[in-house]
């Protein structure tokens, strides 16, 4: 039997010593031996840092985003290889789609976020200038820079592809190399994807390492520049969290643990309403997808006492119709658990719940002598949820959920919180007031809550689907960590530092102009410069324009805005302004008339406006002037060779009056032509 090799220090390596065996979930055939004994973990970490880390840190955020996109496209082209191996884990094609293409989709999402929202630089200014002195000469801002260590990702068996990719995306975007340690039971799927990434040549040498087997002494060699993430059981995660070296060196540790997630049926829903059928469908889908082997799966079904029997009957009927077996056979909707050990563990947990007072409404026992690691859909009922702590603490990590009833709304909230922290919860209701009451009472115990009704169900991604844009994590038993959530996840692998100095110095550090910093003026209008020629701080001070009553009247007639503060002299005199004032939007329009260069040039289009604030009122007779300053630049990557190369330039606009008082502050974005393209197929 062949050994599943690890990829460390830039080479595929076999461990030495006692090995574990990976079995086929359906046939129980022995597939691979797995061991990492004898592999040099200290050297592997150093290699990842010296080679992968240095190369990634030299790339800008935008360049790293382009790398993510290229890797995602490559993996998508080779997806059938991963599907074939995923079938060995007992997963259906639909289960594997979530794992494989869902993971690849996460890479695409982070590639897009990085390209659109992060600077084309190796330093990320996180916020705007923070004034620290009355005169404006001393200020601060927070900046984010890459750590010089390695990210160690310890993943669970249930999503061998998605579990790796959803962590790799923000890790690489932050400029850190990663050492991935998948769970042994499905490590062959992860290894195939790692091999594809390595063979693609799209990532720097050392940016990705793989341990097939135990982590060995790896955690002993980490320091404060490293990061550890863990996905798996709460018990294992807690033991890793207090690893002596992680504690001694304050190594950041993020934990995402299995939890007893709940689905609550609102007391406004009756069997005649569409939400009732949606509730049944959602529970059954979450119980049977991936054979219930999901950290977000519904484990507790909380319903009004008045609907208990109706829900129970509907769930039993729906679950009985789920065909369990080899996913290769037509009509099979649920496959096997990952292996015999997992099947035995699920049976043990179900037995414990029964001993604690739960009753079996469907399923409950597996044929432990069968070759396939199958476990039937199992619905338990807890008659006394308040007096049965086990129903909120014991998780059978399979197609198992426990039904329980609540007497009143506050009781439902108590039961929802009784899981002591979960990754995801769902409330099914058509009542907006009830939804608000539930969020106020239960959100503190959940990382994510879906409110499902007839309207949202048409496009809902479901209770158990973590999305790249949203937080994945939860308090308490769920681990207390955070993953995904858009760019929030990237910051976990960066160091935040408060930097103090003069505005000009802060602008130089961030390569972004900030208000109060020095500007550069020359005889060439900034709109006549190509993207490459523009530099942050390039500025234009415009001629002046005096506002008149005729301007107010003309703009009101043109726009249709006859608000009293502009047009009613008597009412305006009694307002906070004391007299008529110029339309704010005319001030913006007049400012554009002052700073725009009308001729054909590199500036192609107005791309948008941000952070508009009107500071002081403008009255007839006031004279306005504008300062336009290049604030930051972001390169737009070409999608085709024919596409015109461009970049987005953010300009700071300051409109001030004859007293040098700012009357309006905002930013505009323009699409600017580049002189040179960068398209690569």
């Amino acid at each position: 039997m062949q050994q599943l090799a690890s990829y460390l220090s830039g080479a595929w390596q076999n461990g030495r010593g006692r090995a574990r065996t990976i079995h086929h979930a359906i046939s129980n055939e022995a597939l691979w031996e797995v061991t990492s004994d004898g592999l040099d973990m200290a050297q592997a970490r150093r290699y990842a840092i010296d080679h992968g880390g240095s190369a990634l840190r030299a790339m800008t955020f935008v360049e790293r985003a382009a790398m993510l996109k290229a890797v995602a496209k490559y993996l998508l082209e080779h997806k059938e290889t991963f599907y074939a191996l995923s079938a060995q884990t007992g997963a259906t094609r639909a289960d594997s789609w979530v794992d494989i293409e869902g993971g690849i989709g996460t890479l695409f999402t982070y590639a897009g976020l990085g390209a659109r929202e992060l600077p084309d630089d190796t330093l990320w200014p996180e916020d705007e200038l923070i004034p620290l002195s009355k005169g404006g000469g001393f200020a601060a801002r927070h900046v984010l820079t890459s750590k010089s260590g390695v990210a160690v990702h310890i993943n669970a068996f249930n999503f061998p592809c998605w579990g790796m990719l959803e962590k790799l995306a923000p890790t690489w975007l932050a400029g850190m190399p990663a050492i991935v340690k998948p769970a042994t039971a499905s490590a062959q799927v992860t290894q195939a994807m790692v091999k594809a990434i390595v063979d693609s040549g799209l990532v720097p040498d050392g940016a990705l390492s793989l341990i097939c087997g135990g982590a060995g002494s790896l955690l002993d060699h980490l320091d404060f520049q490293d990061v550890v993430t863990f996905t798996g059981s709460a018990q294992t995660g807690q033991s890793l969290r207090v690893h002596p070296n992680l504690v001694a060196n304050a190594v950041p540790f993020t934990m995402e643990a299995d939890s007893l997630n709940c689905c609550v049926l609102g007391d406004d829903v009756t069997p005649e309403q569409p939400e009732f059928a949606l509730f049944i469908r959602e529970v059954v889908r979450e119980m049977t997808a991936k054979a219930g082997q999901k950290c977000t799966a519904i484990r507790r079904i909380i319903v009004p006492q008045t609907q208990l029997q109706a829900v129970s009957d509907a769930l039993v009927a729906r679950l009985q119709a789920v065909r369990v077996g080899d996913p290769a056979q037509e009509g099979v909707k649920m496959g096997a658990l990952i292996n015999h050990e997992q099947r035995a563990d699920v049976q043990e947990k179900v037995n414990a719940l029964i001993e604690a007072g739960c009753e079996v409404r469907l399923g409950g026992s597996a044929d432990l002598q069968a070759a396939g690691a199958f476990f039937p859909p199992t619905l338990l009922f807890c008659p006394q949820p308040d007096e049965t702590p086990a129903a909120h603490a014991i998780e059978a990590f399979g197609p198992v959920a426990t039904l329980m009833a609540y007497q009143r709304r506050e009781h439902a909230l108590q039961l929802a919180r009784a899981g002591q922290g979960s990754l995801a919860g769902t409330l099914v209701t058509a009542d907006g007031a009830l939804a608000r009451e539930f969020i106020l009472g239960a959100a503190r115990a959940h990382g994510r809550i879906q409110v499902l009704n007839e309207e949202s169900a048409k496009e809902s991604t479901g209770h158990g689907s973590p999305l790249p844009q949203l937080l994945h994590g939860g308090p308490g038993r769920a681990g207390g960590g955070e993953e995904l959530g858009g760019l929030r996840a990237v910051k976990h692998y960066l160091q935040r530092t408060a930097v103090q100095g003069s505005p000009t110095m802060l602008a130089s550090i961030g390569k972004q102009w900030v208000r109060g910093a020095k500007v550069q003026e020359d005889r060439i209008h900034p709109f006549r410069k190509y993207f490459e020629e523009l530099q942050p701080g390039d500025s234009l001070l415009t001629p002046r324009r005096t506002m008149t009553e005729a301007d107010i009247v003309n703009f009101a007639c043109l726009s249709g805005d006859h608000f009293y503060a502009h047009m009613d002299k008597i009412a305006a005199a009694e307002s906070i302004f004391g007299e008529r004032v110029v339309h704010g939007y005319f001030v913006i329009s007049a400012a554009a008339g002052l700073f725009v260069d009308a001729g054909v040039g590199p500036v192609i289009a107005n791309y948008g406006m941000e952070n508009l604030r009107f500071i002081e009122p403008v009255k007839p007779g006031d004279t306005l002037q504008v300062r336009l300053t290049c604030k930051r630049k972001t390169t737009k990557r070409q999608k085709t060779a024919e596409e015109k190369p461009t970049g987005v330039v953010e300009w700071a606009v300051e409109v001030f009056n004859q007293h040098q008082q700012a009357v309006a502050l905002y930013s505009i974005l323009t699409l600017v032509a580049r002189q040179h393209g960068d398209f690569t197929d």
Side-chain angles (χ1 to χ4, degrees), residues 67 198 234 259 297 339 385 388 482 493 520-521 571 585 619 681:
M67 182 189 77
V198 172
S259 57
N339 53 31
T388 314
E482 293 189 2
Y493 304 98
Q520 301 89 239
E521 298 177 286
Y585 293 121
K619 302 176 180 179
D681 193 355

Side-chain angles (χ1 to χ4, degrees), residues 194-402:
V194 169
K195 188 176 188 305
I197 295 172
V198 172
D199 291 347
S200 74
L202 294 170
V203 301
D205 177 37
L208 178 59
S209 302
L210 173 73
I211 301 173
C212 290
S217 64
L218 179 59
L219 299 186
D220 295 329
H221 304 293
L222 304 183
D223 65 25
F224 74 104
Q225 286 294 297
D226 299 308
V227 174
V228 176
T229 70
F230 170 80
T231 300
S233 73
Q235 182 178 3
T236 303
Q238 294 295 354
S239 65
L240 291 175
R241 190 197 297 273
V242 294
H243 186 283
N245 186 55
L246 301 189
V247 174
N249 287 290
V251 178
F253 182 92
T254 294
M255 175 176 164
E256 184 264 287
D258 307 328
S259 57
L260 279 88
N261 313 290
C262 66
C263 188
V264 179
L265 182 65
D267 60 10
D268 62 304
V269 179
T270 63
E272 296 74 31
Q273 292 176 258
E275 280 75 16
F276 187 88
L278 292 174
F279 178 84
I280 300 301
R281 185 188 70 180
E282 195 77 358
V283 171
V284 171
R285 179 171 62 183
E286 290 302 315
M287 286 181 63
T288 58
K290 202 73 176 180
Q293 298 169 114
K294 294 171 58 180
C295 57
T296 54
I298 293 170
R299 306 298 181 195
R300 298 177 301 138
I301 310 164
I302 304 172
V303 303
Q305 180 69 48
T306 55
Q307 303 300 335
L308 177 61
Q309 193 59 50
V311 169
S312 179
D313 292 345
L315 286 175
V316 168
R318 191 76 176 261
L319 289 168
Q320 284 177 330
V322 175
R323 184 179 172 189
V324 181
D326 185 347
Q329 297 178 357
E330 186 176 353
V332 169
K333 297 298 183 182
M334 191 181 90
L337 300 180
I338 189 71
N339 53 31
H340 285 194
E341 290 81 5
Q342 184 63 25
R343 184 179 64 183
D345 182 74
V346 171
Q347 186 67 72
E348 179 184 340
K349 298 298 174 53
V350 169
N351 293 343
L353 286 167
I354 294 171
E355 291 174 7
C358 294
E359 304 168 1
V360 178
R361 296 256 167 133
L362 181 70
S365 62
D367 180 2
L368 300 182
Q369 305 305 314
F374 299 109
F375 200 95
T378 295
L379 180 66
L380 303 178
F381 169 61
C382 180
Q384 300 292 333
D386 298 308
E387 288 77 38
T388 314
H392 308 287
I394 297 177
E395 180 185 24
F397 200 70
V400 181
T402 302

Side-chain angles (χ1 to χ4, degrees), residues 379-589:
L379 180 66
L380 303 178
F381 169 61
C382 180
Q384 300 292 333
D386 298 308
E387 288 77 38
T388 314
H392 308 287
I394 297 177
E395 180 185 24
F397 200 70
V400 181
T402 302
L403 178 65
M404 56 190 71
Y406 66 88
Q407 309 301 323
R408 58 197 182 284
R409 290 186 177 181
E410 179 54 39
H411 188 208
L413 293 173
Q414 291 172 3
L415 294 177
R417 297 191 298 261
Q420 299 299 305
S422 77
L423 297 169
T426 287
L427 170 69
V428 180
T429 181
D431 185 344
L434 170 58
R436 174 177 167 81
E437 184 179 347
F438 185 83
I439 295 300
L440 288 172
R444 60 182 179 268
H446 296 77
R448 175 170 55 85
I449 295 177
Q450 174 191 216
V451 180
L452 187 65
N453 64 5
E454 185 180 17
E455 181 182 7
S456 65
K458 298 172 184 176
E459 298 178 298
S460 169
T461 54
H463 164 98
S465 299
L467 297 174
Q469 304 91 333
L470 304 181
L471 166 71
H472 180 52
R477 181 190 172 98
E482 293 189 2
E483 295 175 354
L484 300 177
L487 294 180
R488 292 165 59 99
V490 182
K491 295 180 180 182
H492 180 67
Y493 304 98
L494 295 165
Q495 176 60 48
R496 177 182 290 107
T497 304
V499 180
Q500 299 169 284
S502 69
T504 300
M505 186 62 71
L506 294 175
S508 178
I509 292 170
K511 290 186 178 180
Q512 297 178 0
W513 183 83
V514 294
R515 298 191 191 278
K518 293 178 181 178
V519 299
Q520 301 89 239
E521 298 177 286
D522 56 35
R523 300 171 66 89
I524 303 175
H525 192 289
F527 278 21
R528 310 306 303 174
K529 296 181 180 181
Y530 283 92
F531 184 83
E532 293 91 339
E533 297 172 322
L534 280 166
Q535 297 300 323
D538 285 357
S539 188
L540 170 72
L541 183 63
T542 71
R544 300 179 179 88
R545 173 171 177 170
T546 299
M547 301 289 101
T548 67
E549 290 193 358
D551 290 329
I552 297 176
V553 174
N554 289 336
F555 187 79
C557 293
L558 183 64
S559 66
D561 181 355
H562 293 84
F563 188 62
Y564 78 88
H566 310 308
M567 304 302 294
D568 188 331
K569 187 173 183 178
I570 296 175
E574 297 174 351
S575 72
I576 60 172
F577 304 114
E579 60 179 293
R580 294 168 68 190
V581 293
V582 178
H583 299 74
Y585 293 121
F586 178 65
V587 171
I588 303 307
S589 300

